Amino acid sequence: MTAARDGSLLVVGDIVTDVVARHRGPLATGTDTAAAVRTLPGGAGANVACWAAHSGCADVRLLGRVGADAAQWHERELVAAGVRPRLVVDREATTGTVICLVDTGASAERTFLTDSGASLRLEPADWSDALLDGVARLHLSGYLLFSEPSRALAEVALAAARARGVPVSLDPASAGFLLEFGVDRFLAFAEGLDVLLPSRDEACLLTGLPEPADAAAKLSRLVPLVVAKSGVAGALVARSGTVIARVPAVPATPLDTTGAGDAFTGAFLTALLAGADPEVAAAQGCGAGARAVERVGGRPPHLRPPRRGTAGQGVSPGRPDPEATP
């Protein structure tokens, strides 16, 4: 499948509040560890959308679910990033929260403590096929698969996109959650995808192979295009059982690796929408990933100042208007 160059990108996925705690060295168990702590907007799906807009995609839309506690803040942040949000406000659950523990050593590696909250309570009733009007690509956050309601929504969205000929991409999101979910269940879902964007660890987990190149090649027999993100090792592009490109990483001095893979995905999809071939798109992704690790948090700089006041029509209590596009 190929996407129209003037079409929109629709992202369906998680929107969460990140509490980023940057510390140096191991945590001191049972006592205090000094850290610099910031509260920032995040979520893999939302991050991808923001990086796509930052990378030049003219029309990025996002469907996600948040709690009433933070809906207006998240909407303002998304709009300021250049994203058109369609937020479903959950009246029972609070907005998802992730504690990001970031070691400020040379690798800036991070560990997540995740309370998904409202983010994985998306359900088929939150979907409307009208959300695909004008959309050239649909991207699904892999986190959707890790709860029954949001997995059902992902299945509905995937079927609707395929019926319209809209290519669908997915980032597996979390090796830890993948292991709990089950490799076979994930691969059964992946059969309907056009693009799979795993990390190196996720690719190896999904195939049982120790080498990322072998894993990417094997996955590309299931999904037409596989791009394995390998951090400082760059990225691997595979088609039809063969690695067709090895794209080097862009040098960077990392502060926080949170959202680096999301940045890659957003820039990669933007390049595909502009007509780039996968190798060129992967190079764009590596550049965005490098910029991401030099910032704290998972989002790019704002494209415009956040607006003040009440939330706009992008926030809906319950579910999106089935007659409206986001």
Side-chain angles (χ1 to χ4, degrees):
M1 295 183 180
T2 58
R5 296 189 183 194
D6 58 352
S8 303
L9 172 66
L10 171 62
V11 179
V12 181
D14 46 316
I15 303 164
V16 305
T17 300
D18 284 343
V19 179
V20 181
R22 300 177 65 244
H23 62 93
R24 179 171 292 278
L27 297 174
T29 304
T31 185
D32 294 334
T33 299
V37 180
R38 294 180 63 186
T39 300
L40 300 166
N47 292 346
V48 167
C50 291
W51 279 100
H54 185 76
S55 299
C57 188
D59 185 7
V60 184
R61 312 173 187 183
L62 173 68
L63 173 64
R65 195 174 183 103
V66 293
D69 59 309
Q72 294 183 4
W73 177 59
H74 277 290
E75 190 213 11
R76 286 195 300 268
E77 291 291 324
L78 289 163
V79 169
V83 175
R84 297 173 62 191
R86 173 64 72 182
L87 306 187
V88 181
V89 178
D90 195 309
R91 300 301 181 185
E92 298 181 5
T94 58
T95 302
T97 302
V98 175
I99 308 297
C100 309
L101 304 176
V102 181
D103 189 333
T104 58
S107 67
E109 195 51 73
R110 77 282 189 278
T111 300
F112 294 151
L113 301 175
T114 302
D115 177 355
S116 298
S119 67
L120 296 191
R121 286 165 56 91
L122 272 171
E123 58 186 5
D126 297 328
W127 175 261
S128 165
D129 287 356
L131 292 168
L132 289 171
D133 290 349
V135 168
R137 285 190 174 273
L138 169 65
H139 178 73
L140 302 174
S141 168
Y143 282 109
L144 294 171
L145 301 184
F146 304 140
S147 80
E148 289 187 14
S150 58
R151 182 166 63 252
L153 170 79
E155 292 169 349
V156 169
L158 175 61
R162 296 202 65 82
R164 291 198 184 196
V166 175
V168 183
S169 56
L170 182 140
D171 184 327
S174 167
F177 284 166
L178 265 180
L179 194 59
E180 293 180 20
F181 179 64
V183 167
D184 290 342
R185 294 175 71 193
F186 180 88
L187 293 177
F189 182 88
E191 288 183 8
L193 300 173
D194 300 279
V195 183
L196 184 65
L197 294 138
S199 69
R200 173 188 57 217
D201 292 343
E202 291 157 1
C204 291
L205 174 62
L206 288 170
T207 59
L209 298 174
E211 294 297 326
D214 294 338
K218 183 175 181 178
L219 285 170
S220 71
R221 298 188 188 103
L222 178 71
V223 180
L225 177 61
V226 173
V227 182
K229 300 171 287 187
S230 300
V232 295
L236 300 164
V237 182
R239 282 190 186 276
S240 304
T242 301
V243 172
I244 61 171
R246 297 172 182 264
V247 181
V250 174
T253 302
L255 287 178
D256 177 6
T257 57
T258 302
D262 303 331
F264 180 105
T265 296
F268 175 83
L269 294 175
T270 296
L272 287 188
L273 278 166
D277 66 41
E279 182 176 357
V280 172
Q284 295 295 313
C286 286
R291 294 191 296 275
V293 301
E294 293 185 329
R295 294 178 53 79
V296 176
R299 301 273 182 92
H302 284 148
L303 294 178
R304 62 195 70 141
R307 63 181 176 81
R308 301 298 178 185
T310 59
Q313 294 183 355
V315 175
S316 63
R319 60 175 176 154
D321 180 350
E323 301 301 323
T325 56

